[in-house]
Amino acid sequence: VQLQASGGGLAQTGESLRLSCVVSGDTFNYYGIGWFRQPPGKEREFVAAISWSGGSIYYKNAVKGRFTISRDNARNTVTLQMNSLKPEDSAVYYCAGKKNMQTAHEAYYGGMDYWGKGTLVTVSS
C-alpha cells in the first residue's frame, strides 16, 4: 500500500491550504486514514483521522474548528482542509493508513500500518 501526500506549501497567518493523501495498492475503502505532523525539532503528533467508513472523525484539540478531514472513496483520496492557519501549524505533514480502522480515535493511539512521505507546510506570521 502506498500513500502520497501533497498540497503543502507556504501560507501566511490566516490563510488556507488543502492537503491530499492518495492511496494505492489495496482497496481504499478498507482503510482509515490519519494525518500527523512533525514540527521542526519536535516529535510527530496526531492531527486528524477518519475511519474507513467516514462515519468517525477525530481532531487534535488545537485544530478543531479550523481543519476538516474528508474522504472521497471514488478517488482514493483523503483531504485535510486547513483554514485560519497559524505559525504553530508549520510542520511536515504525513498521512498514514490503518486497515479496518473502525473509529478515528484508533489513529490517535498509534498503530498505523502504512505511512506516506511528508509534505511541508510553512505558515509565516
Side-chain angles (χ1 to χ4, degrees):
V1 176
Q2 294 82 43
L3 295 92
Q4 180 65 52
S6 63
L10 178 64
Q12 295 188 342
T13 297
E15 292 184 340
S16 299
L17 286 174
R18 175 176 291 185
L19 305 184
S20 294
C21 178
V22 179
V23 181
S24 61
D26 198 352
T27 303
F28 176 71
N29 295 18
Y30 293 167
Y31 286 83
I33 302 295
W35 284 98
F36 300 78
R37 67 187 182 187
Q38 186 166 17
K42 298 184 178 180
E43 294 187 352
R44 187 168 60 194
E45 62 182 13
F46 169 83
V47 177
I50 187 167
S51 64
W52 68 266
S53 69
S56 175
I57 289 174
Y58 186 53
Y59 296 100
K60 174 183 175 68
N61 284 340
V63 307
K64 281 181 182 177
R66 300 189 297 121
F67 291 12
T68 302
I69 190 171
S70 60
R71 65 187 297 148
D72 183 344
N73 288 348
R75 298 185 177 187
N76 290 7
T77 300
V78 169
T79 298
L80 185 69
Q81 177 67 41
M82 307 187 297
N83 298 331
S84 303
L85 284 164
K86 304 176 180 181
E88 51 263 43
D89 295 319
S90 297
V92 177
Y93 283 72
Y94 301 87
C95 60
K98 182 175 182 179
K99 199 165 188 176
N100 299 322
M101 190 171 82
Q102 301 290 330
T103 64
H105 289 74
E106 295 177 47
Y108 174 81
Y109 293 108
M112 305 304 284
D113 297 323
Y114 301 98
W115 291 83
K117 294 182 180 180
T119 185
L120 177 64
V121 171
T122 303
V123 183
S124 62
S125 58

